[in-house]
Amino acid sequence: MEIQHFCHDEHPLVFNEDERGHRCWACNEPILGPSYSCIKCERYYHHKSCAELPRELQHPLHPKHPLILFNEMNFFKDKKYSKCEVCRQYRGQYTYGCSLCNFNLHNKCASLPLTIKSEVHEHPLTRIWRSMKFTCDLCGKEGEDGIEIAKEIKHFSHEHDLKLIDEVENNKQCDGCLRAILPPFYSCVKCNFFLHKSCVELPKKKRHPLHRHSLTLLPKAACRTMLFWCDACGQICNGFTYNCNKCDFDLDVQCSLISDILAHKGHEHCLHLSSTRYSQNCSSCNFERSQGFRCITCEFALDFKCATLPYTTRYKQHEHPFILSYVAEDDSGEYYCDICEEERDPNQWFYYCAYCNYPAHPKCILGKYPNFKFGVSYTFDCHPHPLTIIQKTKDHHACHRCGGPCDEEFFYQCVSCNFYVHTYCL
């Protein structure tokens, strides 16, 4: 009897009725009985029960997302960021984790009962997993204080203090995820800087199934131009990045939030992250990619660019929000984008305002660079004043570094000096 196990891609693990003398790869405890191991490598010994653990777990301590089984040692060298949420320890064993929330549970901790009987109290005690004020009836100390949203904060990504705002701001972008700013968010009163509350709370370190090293959150790309191409969706971005300095690997915020199992409103089955040698057409945009999310039940596939499309968005001065739609709005047989007035493929996703019967291509609603914020200023040593990144203009100003016309899609400008420079000339 053989099984294909995630810990070892090269060979299957073979069943052994009675193993003695090895420690389990999953729990690090001695094996005395039925087991699985790789007989070719003579490694990867597992208790039978550990080898047959489900790869995915829905746990009441973290009901928002499924927890995925992984080897703690392979993913995290920095123990501070991989502690189990129950025992608060790093044990170098199999762990159920949520990469979206940096939430980890050792397998044994995940199997602990939520309700126990104790001699200290006459009724069963139930584990509670939420922030609340309480006083321990045994030691008399107050514990896990209730969380209060800070009205003013200092964030490592910005030089000024940020204040909490609950009002709607039109046509403003979050400087972290580059999406439209919605309350609650933090704003700088001195400059045009905004952060969603959720972006303020992003973990400084996290793991992601697309990369073998832990990733560090940076407010700007580590490269000279302050811009980066996301290694998941392939789009250019100037927001926050989860970066691996060793491998020059970058993920934008939206792609970093997706785990290796995706439940999407656009498809009835769960989608699984996969990288293949051959390209497959995305079912949303028809673009060919070798890396993306695939359905194991049918032929549906989704690339990262479409997997991270916002469900709702706004367009300029249009009064109603647009909803991401997956099937044609009617059976007329004629489908057009009301922005560019060109034909639409009825099999591809689009944005739709039902109030106005207004359909549009995603690229027409979100723009050519949806993960980019123009008008942001940076300081470089090639010029004494901050340079602002702007989109291509009709004037084609000459670059002050190479002398060529600034006819790129975007370039840097100093308004006070009438100074222009290509991004690649920095």
Side-chain angles (χ1 to χ4, degrees):
M1 187 165 58
E2 298 179 348
I3 60 171
Q4 194 65 46
H5 199 270
F6 75 91
C7 75
H8 189 48
D9 295 330
E10 297 180 24
H11 310 123
L13 303 186
V14 179
F15 180 70
N16 181 10
E17 289 188 0
D18 190 20
E19 173 63 41
R20 307 274 167 170
H22 289 95
R23 286 188 174 271
C24 177
W25 189 262
C27 67
N28 203 31
E29 294 185 1
I31 301 174
L32 301 171
S35 69
Y36 283 92
S37 66
C38 176
I39 58 174
K40 293 186 178 180
C41 300
E42 296 184 353
R43 293 181 67 195
Y44 305 105
Y45 291 90
H46 289 73
H47 292 110
K48 180 176 182 295
S49 58
C50 291
E52 295 173 351
L53 287 170
R55 189 72 205 277
E56 180 181 334
L57 180 69
Q58 199 72 42
H59 200 278
L61 294 186
H62 191 71
K64 293 190 296 183
H65 308 120
L67 303 181
I68 309 301
L69 188 67
F70 67 92
N71 189 337
E72 197 173 31
M73 291 187 293
N74 289 350
F75 282 85
F76 257 114
K77 303 301 181 185
D78 192 337
K79 299 178 182 180
K80 180 173 68 172
Y81 297 101
S82 60
K83 288 182 179 178
C84 171
E85 297 291 341
V86 170
C87 68
R88 307 305 298 170
Q89 294 180 8
Y90 173 91
R91 297 177 180 173
Q93 59 183 242
Y94 281 7
T95 298
Y96 281 102
C98 173
S99 61
L100 302 181
C101 307
N102 221 34
F103 182 94
N104 305 295
L105 287 178
H106 289 129
N107 169 48
K108 288 193 174 181
C109 294
S111 62
L112 289 173
L114 294 182
T115 300
I116 61 170
K117 291 184 177 180
S118 173
E119 59 184 19
V120 302
H121 190 65
E122 57 187 300
H123 305 133
L125 302 178
T126 302
R127 187 188 302 271
I128 295 177
W129 194 257
R130 65 173 181 261
S131 297
M132 59 181 292
K133 289 186 176 180
F134 71 96
T135 300
C136 176
D137 285 308
L138 287 183
C139 67
K141 295 181 180 179
E142 191 175 276
E144 304 287 269
D145 286 343
I147 296 175
E148 184 177 339
I149 300 178
K151 304 295 184 188
E152 187 170 329
I153 63 168
K154 181 70 176 176
H155 195 260
F156 75 97
S157 65
H158 194 64
E159 65 268 29
H160 305 135
D161 290 343
L162 305 177
K163 292 190 175 182
L164 185 66
I165 307 293
D166 285 320
E167 301 171 0
V168 175
E169 286 274 2
N170 291 325
N171 301 319
K172 300 291 185 182
Q173 288 175 271
C174 172
D175 284 85
C177 67
L178 282 308
R179 291 287 165 87
I181 200 73
L182 296 170
F185 64 93
Y186 288 92
S187 172
C188 177
V189 296
K190 296 183 179 180
C191 55
N192 190 36
F193 186 88
F194 306 91
L195 278 183
H196 288 122
K197 180 177 176 291
S198 57
C199 289
V200 168
E201 296 168 350
L202 288 170
K204 294 282 187 69
K205 294 267 189 180
K206 75 179 305 181
R207 64 179 178 272
H208 195 276
L210 283 181
H211 198 65
R212 64 184 183 276
H213 301 136
S214 63
L215 304 176
T216 302
L217 182 65
L218 302 178
K220 299 182 183 69
C223 66
R224 172 72 172 166
T225 61
M226 309 290 186
L227 319 175
F228 70 93
W229 295 89
C230 176
D231 284 286
C233 66
Q235 298 183 102
I236 193 167
C237 180
N238 64 340
F240 288 2
T241 171
Y242 275 102
N243 170 267
C244 175
N245 189 45
K246 296 179 183 177
C247 308
D248 193 25
F249 179 90
D250 287 281
L251 284 183
D252 64 41
V253 170
Q254 296 299 328
C255 291
S256 77
L257 296 177
I258 300 185
S259 184
D260 52 358
I261 297 179
L262 174 66
H264 198 282
K265 294 179 181 178
H267 191 64
E268 58 184 324
H269 307 131
C270 280
L271 306 176
H272 297 258
L273 178 62
S274 65
S275 296
T276 59
R277 295 178 182 175
Y278 63 91
S279 296
Q280 186 173 351
N281 288 35
C282 173
S283 301
S284 165
C285 66
N286 207 36
F287 193 82
E288 282 192 358
R289 287 193 186 275
S290 60
Q291 179 176 273
F293 296 89
R294 291 176 173 81
C295 179
I296 60 176
T297 305
C298 58
E299 295 297 317
F300 187 89
L302 203 58
D303 62 20
F304 266 88
K305 184 178 179 180
C306 293
T308 55
L309 286 172
Y311 289 122
T312 62
T313 190
R314 290 189 174 272
Y315 177 70
K316 294 185 177 178
Q317 303 306 317
H318 194 88
E319 60 178 321
H320 308 126
F322 284 81
I323 308 298
L324 184 61
S325 301
Y326 316 108
V327 294
E329 66 273 25
D330 54 43
D331 56 359
S332 65
E334 295 186 355
Y335 306 100
Y336 292 87
C337 170
D338 280 359
I339 296 177
C340 69
E341 298 184 348
E342 293 182 2
E343 262 192 286
R344 289 187 295 111
D345 185 337
N347 296 316
Q348 294 183 11
W349 293 358
F350 63 101
Y351 281 98
Y352 186 63
C353 173
Y355 295 100
C356 307
N357 190 24
Y358 193 115
H361 292 122
K363 65 179 181 180
C364 294
I365 287 285
L366 302 175
K368 190 174 181 180
Y369 302 103
N371 289 354
F372 206 86
K373 183 175 180 177
F374 292 98
V376 179
S377 298
Y378 304 108
T379 300
F380 302 97
D381 55 16
C382 67
H383 192 72
H385 307 134
L387 299 180
T388 302
I389 193 160
I390 62 174
Q391 205 160 7
K392 181 173 66 175
T393 65
K394 297 179 181 179
D395 297 330
H396 297 292
H397 300 281
C399 172
H400 283 73
R401 296 301 296 272
C402 70
C406 287
D407 55 358
E408 288 184 304
E409 286 294 331
F410 36 80
F411 52 93
Y412 283 102
Q413 173 194 37
C414 176
V415 178
S416 59
C417 300
N418 206 27
F419 176 90
Y420 301 88
V421 62
H422 294 127
T423 55
Y424 57 81
C425 287
L426 282 170

